[in-house]
Structures are given as C-alpha cells and as structure tokens.
Amino acid sequence: MGTGESHLAFEDNASKEDPGKVERLEFWTRPLNNPVAAAAGGLHSFLVIRTNDTKHHRLEKLVDGKIHVRVIDRVKMEITKRPQKMQILKAARIENLRSGLHLRTIRRWARRHEGDYDVHSANCHRMATDVWNKSVANLKFKISVPQTGLSYIASMVGIGASTRIATSKRIVIRDSSEDDEKVQRDIEWKEIKLEIKERINRYRQYEREKTSSKIFGILL
C-alpha cells in the first residue's frame, strides 16, 4: 500500500542486477509444538530473510536433521505471530549486515549444520545462531546460542537422544504451503513418541532391577 510505480520499477531493476541479495535478517523463536516441552520453556529458532526481489525466506533446522528453506507470506506470519506466540529475538537491516550478503551464502553456511540432529549439540538454535553471527557486520548484533542450559539438561536426562539421525547433505527447497506445518508437527510427534517409549523402557528396567534386589535381599 502506498507504493508508487517508480518504486516498483526500482525494486525490479535491483533484483535483476543482483537477485537474492539480503536486505533484512530476522531471528525468530516460537514455542515447541509439544505442550509439555513448551510448558518447560522449550523454543524453536529459525531465520527469516528478506531479499531484494521482495521475497521472504524461512530457514530452519528440524529434527529430521535437514535444513529447510521456503518462501513465506510475511504478512500472514505477522498476523499469526501473537496467536502462535512467535517473536522476533533480533533483526538486522542491510546496513548492519555483511556487505554484499547473498541468500546463496546463507544457505551455504546453513548446509554445514545439516546431518545429525541432537537436542543440545546440533539443534535449531545452533544453526540459526551461527548463520546469524556470520551474517551481521556489527559486534553488538551478535548473539549467544539460546537455551543452552535447558537443552543441556534435556540431553543429560536422555530427552531427544533418539533423534540423533544422519541425513544426506542437501538443502530441501519447498514452496510455502499449509502442508509444511503439518510435516513439522508430524516429525515432532514422532520424536515425542520415541521419547515416551524410551522413558517407559527405562522405567520398566528400573522396576525389574528393584524387584530383583528385593528378592536377592530376602534370599540372603
């Protein structure tokens, strides 16, 4: 709204000269889909990148170990931000980014994090933070990895251990659609079910060992 024809022409010419040049970078977080994990304060981190062709790209690492990049509707995202409890942790305009930063460069940095997924040492926060810190030019914009304490505790008690899965080194490019959120929810639900199964097995093992100890004590 309020955009003149000459401005549109300028944007079009800019994209033709250097398509994919990054003009704005945002670091987002949202609660995890699992209500128990969300209640404990667990968050998911991702980046939103605006390029000079006026497109917005969402980049994130999911529990399948892959890097997902897709074009999104930024206006729709702003509308759903409050209901979904999403927030922008940090934002950097072009003057605060590395000179000549390009989307393909960000994707290359992200690709280095593709492969294993671990709830503490190889998660969404580490990928997003690493790419963010490589992208900004000013030291005051650099950030620390979010939730390292929480993810460390989760790792120590065995949460997420079953999600350490190796994948092929490739970035998945997908169009924006409602199916994307469903895929992500399905992946997280599989993780939760595996985690519950592990916990049940550990509890059963504990009960068996406790019973064996009691029987051994009686025999003595």
Side-chain angles (χ1 to χ4, degrees), residues 90-104:
K90 205 85 170 176
R93 295 180 294 186
I94 190 169
E95 59 266 28
N96 298 311
L97 297 172
R98 290 178 56 162
S99 178
L101 182 63
H102 202 281
L103 179 61
R104 61 173 173 264

Side-chain angles (χ1 to χ4, degrees), residues 7-201:
H7 178 71
L8 287 174
F10 173 80
E11 289 291 336
D12 185 57
N13 290 334
S15 64
K16 287 180 180 178
E17 291 174 5
D18 187 14
K21 186 176 180 181
V22 178
E23 293 186 335
R24 181 179 172 88
L25 183 64
E26 298 170 346
F27 193 114
W28 285 69
T29 62
R30 66 159 177 81
L32 294 174
N33 289 332
N34 174 246
V36 176
L43 297 173
H44 173 64
S45 293
F46 59 94
L47 300 177
V48 173
I49 307 146
R50 189 185 75 198
T51 49
N52 63 338
D53 54 4
T54 70
K55 291 181 180 179
H56 288 83
H57 310 261
R58 176 167 170 166
L59 182 145
E60 58 196 330
K61 179 174 182 175
L62 301 182
V63 295
D64 59 1
K66 295 178 181 178
I67 302 300
H68 295 251
V69 185
R70 57 190 171 97
V71 176
I72 61 168
D73 185 337
R74 183 63 175 76
V75 175
K76 180 180 177 181
M77 192 175 201
E78 190 67 32
I79 294 171
T80 59
K81 181 171 70 173
R82 180 172 292 182
Q84 295 183 15
K85 298 182 179 180
M86 297 188 296
Q87 62 177 343
I88 302 175
L89 189 66
K90 205 85 170 176
R93 295 180 294 186
I94 190 169
E95 59 266 28
N96 298 311
L97 297 172
R98 290 178 56 162
S99 178
L101 182 63
H102 202 281
L103 179 61
R104 61 173 173 264
T105 304
I106 287 180
R107 288 168 56 184
R108 186 175 70 249
W109 291 334
R111 189 181 295 119
R112 297 170 185 170
H113 291 266
E114 192 165 47
D116 289 347
Y117 181 92
D118 180 83
V119 70
H120 175 65
S121 61
N123 58 21
C124 60
H125 302 310
R126 293 188 180 275
M127 185 284 294
T129 302
D130 181 52
V131 172
W132 171 273
N133 287 338
K134 282 182 168 69
S135 300
V136 296
N138 198 320
L139 285 175
K140 72 177 184 179
F141 279 88
K142 293 186 182 295
I143 61 174
S144 300
V145 180
Q147 301 204 306
T148 51
L150 185 62
S151 64
Y152 177 73
I153 292 172
S155 178
M156 290 297 290
V157 300
I159 295 176
S162 60
T163 65
R164 294 175 187 144
I165 44 182
T167 63
S168 59
K169 295 279 185 177
R170 61 187 178 87
I171 286 184
V172 178
I173 308 295
R174 295 181 290 136
D175 293 331
S176 177
S177 69
E178 295 297 328
D179 290 339
D180 293 319
E181 294 298 329
K182 184 179 183 301
V183 168
Q184 185 171 330
R185 287 195 298 270
D186 289 344
I187 291 171
E188 291 188 358
W189 177 237
K190 287 179 182 178
E191 175 187 350
I192 292 165
K193 287 194 291 185
L194 286 170
E195 181 182 319
I196 292 172
K197 185 177 179 180
E198 282 188 353
R199 286 175 176 269
I200 291 172
N201 289 337

